[in-house]
């Protein structure tokens, strides 16, 4: 079990023992992410991005800051209990997390009902963007459907009329295929939901080989994506275009390597996104951690910068209504350039088609090919009645 308590003053030090008694002079932030098991790399990227920004800032919001870094173990019941402990026992003002949407569904009430604010660096389930939106919930990443909508629009642009769809059977997987089909109106060769955590795709690849679709669209994050991409190449299917989101990215590429080169992804960010803030972030991240950052890290970094700007604007974290208002209008230097929240507390932002490349330094990364959507809000915002 991962649980670390960090205090950010002039420098960061690891402390042992219970949290200090809550007071209005200390900003307390829980960081609740998947940090064990096959998907740990995703949580580690978000944690490292957040920690990099926290180290750069020093005292977040100009306040002495305690970070409680906790592993949700990718289990909703455990995550809910740990979220409750962060708020009720540790006195967290803000909880940053999670990675997975089923975990978001489990922790949103324990966090927000307990009087804290939940800021997601990745998970963006459709219900929290729409009818179940929550004034104390913010997504700094995207709504789940949106990166998949990029690939649907691209498939339509390419004239593909027979696409095979593949995703794990949980909230984000369902959102992914809904997103793809929102912007794609061609034919569907097949639509398969696998078990979450599945690592053997021989049956699905046999179906694809038999059907010979115009393209394959897959959402398989973490270890699922590593295995799918390797097995796709091994099955000799590379002549069928491979479209994806979260399947080939900087969290999976160190394991996929050449097997992923030339595969496409929909995204709101890539390491070569041309903004001064992003150039500096990527260089600092690679120097500190010795790896290429993924979008999870970029969003973790932005989450810390967002909190810093909002707490300063609100004059602290004690007045939650003032802090929520400050988050809604926070101005900070996002790695993505211009950043603004929509009325449902999800970003309005640009989205891109990216392709996997092998860089001159030998590392693998995604690289922006072309913009697809500009200043794009999600499709659920109109269902949100914030109160």
């Amino acid at each position: 079990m991962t649980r670390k308590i960090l205090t950010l003053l002039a420098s960061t030090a690891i402390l042992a023992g219970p949290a200090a008694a809550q007071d209005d002079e200390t900003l307390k932030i829980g960081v609740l992410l998947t940090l064990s098991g096959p998907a740990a790399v995703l949580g580690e990227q978000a944690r490292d991005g957040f920690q990099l920004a926290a180290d750069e800032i020093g005292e977040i919001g100009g306040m002495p800051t305690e970070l409680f870094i906790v592993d949700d173990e990718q289990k909703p019941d455990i995550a809910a209990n740990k979220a409750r402990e962060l708020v009720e026992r540790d006195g967290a003002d803000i909880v940053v997390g999670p990675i997975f949407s089923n975990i978001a569904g489990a922790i949103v009430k324990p966090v927000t009902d307990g009087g804290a604010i939940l800021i997601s660096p990745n998970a963006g389930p459709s219900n929290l963007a729409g009818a179940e939106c929550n004034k104390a919930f913010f997504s700094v990443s995207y709504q789940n459907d949106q990166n998949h909508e990029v690939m649907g629009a691209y498939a339509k642009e390419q004239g593909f009329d027979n696409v095979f769809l593949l995703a794990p059977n949980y909230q984000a997987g369902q959102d992914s295929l809904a997103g793809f089909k929102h912007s794609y109106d061609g034919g569907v060769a097949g639509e398969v939901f696998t078990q979450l955590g599945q690592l053997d795709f021989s049956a699905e690849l046999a179906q694809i080989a038999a059907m010979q679709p115009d393209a394959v669209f897959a959402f398989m994050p973490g270890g699922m994506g590593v295995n799918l991409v390797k097995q796709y190449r091994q099955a000799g299917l590379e002549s069928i275009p491979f479209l994806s989101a979260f399947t080939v990215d900087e969290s999976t590429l160190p394991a996929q390597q050449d097997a992923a080169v030339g595969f496409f992804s929909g995204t709101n960010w890539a390491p070569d996104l041309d903004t001064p803030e992003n150039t500096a972030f990527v260089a600092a991240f690679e120097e500190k951690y010795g790896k290429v950052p993924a979008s999870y890290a970029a969003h973790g970094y932005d989450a810390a910068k967002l909190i810093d700007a909002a707490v300063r604007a609100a004059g602290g974290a004690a007045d939650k209504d003032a802090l929520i208002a400050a988050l809604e209008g926070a101005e900070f230097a996002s790695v993505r350039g211009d950043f603004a929240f929509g009325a449902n507390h999800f970003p309005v932002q640009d989205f891109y088609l990216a392709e996997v490349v092998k860089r001159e330094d030998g590392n693998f990364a995604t690289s922006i090919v072309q913009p697809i959507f500009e200043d794009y809000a999600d499709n659920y915002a109109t269902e949100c009645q914030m109160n």
Side-chain angles (χ1 to χ4, degrees), residues 99-360:
I99 296 297
F100 287 88
S101 291
N102 58 335
I103 304 297
I107 70 173
V108 64
K109 283 186 67 64
V111 172
T112 61
D113 286 358
I117 294 169
L118 180 61
I119 297 178
S120 172
N122 187 65
S126 54
N127 59 312
L128 292 179
E132 297 176 36
C133 62
N134 184 319
K135 70 176 184 179
F137 174 81
F138 291 79
S139 170
V140 79
S141 54
Y142 31 57
Q143 194 280 316
N144 285 344
D145 298 22
Q146 291 180 296
N147 286 341
H148 311 290
E149 290 179 50
V150 169
M151 299 316 301
Y154 176 71
K156 182 176 181 179
E157 175 190 289
Q158 293 299 302
F160 297 148
D161 195 37
N162 191 34
V163 180
F164 189 95
L165 310 179
L166 186 64
N169 191 16
Y170 77 117
Q171 182 68 58
Q174 295 158 15
D175 287 349
S176 72
L177 298 195
F180 182 88
K181 289 186 284 187
H182 184 269
S183 53
Y184 171 75
D185 55 10
V188 175
E191 183 173 326
V192 175
F193 284 102
T194 70
Q195 288 186 337
L196 182 62
Q198 179 172 319
L199 297 176
D200 180 1
F201 298 94
S202 55
E204 292 79 11
L205 294 175
Q207 285 183 263
I208 293 168
M211 292 178 175
Q212 289 294 303
D214 292 342
V216 169
F217 170 74
F219 164 64
M220 288 288 167
M224 294 181 290
V226 171
N227 281 29
L228 174 61
V229 166
K230 287 184 174 181
Q231 291 166 24
Y232 195 90
R233 289 283 190 186
Q234 290 165 359
L237 297 174
E238 59 270 16
S239 63
I240 301 173
F242 188 94
L243 316 179
S244 69
F246 309 104
T247 306
V248 291
D249 65 20
E250 289 69 25
S251 70
T252 57
L253 288 173
Q256 293 163 334
Q257 299 194 6
D258 289 307
V261 171
F263 285 6
F264 293 105
S265 182
T267 188
N268 65 337
W269 174 89
D272 64 353
L273 183 64
D274 189 15
T275 72
E277 293 79 13
N278 193 52
T279 300
F281 158 68
V282 172
F285 189 94
E286 292 187 8
E287 180 179 358
K288 181 168 184 174
Y289 299 111
K291 59 188 176 185
V292 182
S295 64
Y296 311 96
H299 299 146
Y301 186 87
D302 270 359
K305 297 287 188 175
L306 165 70
I307 294 168
D308 178 56
V311 172
R312 290 176 191 275
D319 185 336
K320 289 301 183 292
D321 289 335
L323 183 53
I324 288 169
L327 286 164
E328 290 174 335
E331 296 183 2
F332 69 101
S334 168
V335 298
R336 286 165 275 175
D338 293 339
F339 182 98
F341 283 115
N344 62 346
H345 293 175
F346 279 69
V348 178
Q349 61 188 318
D350 299 342
F351 289 85
Y352 309 89
L353 174 72
E355 182 180 6
V356 176
V357 299
K358 186 174 184 179
R359 302 191 321 192
E360 291 183 0

Side-chain angles (χ1 to χ4, degrees), residues 2-39:
T2 300
R3 180 178 177 82
K4 290 199 299 183
I5 303 172
L6 307 178
T7 298
L8 302 180
L9 297 168
S11 61
T12 299
I14 300 177
L15 304 181
Q22 183 176 13
D23 63 75
D24 292 341
E25 302 303 318
T26 300
L27 177 65
K28 297 189 176 184
I29 302 173
V31 180
L32 183 61
L33 301 165
T34 300
L35 297 170
S36 60

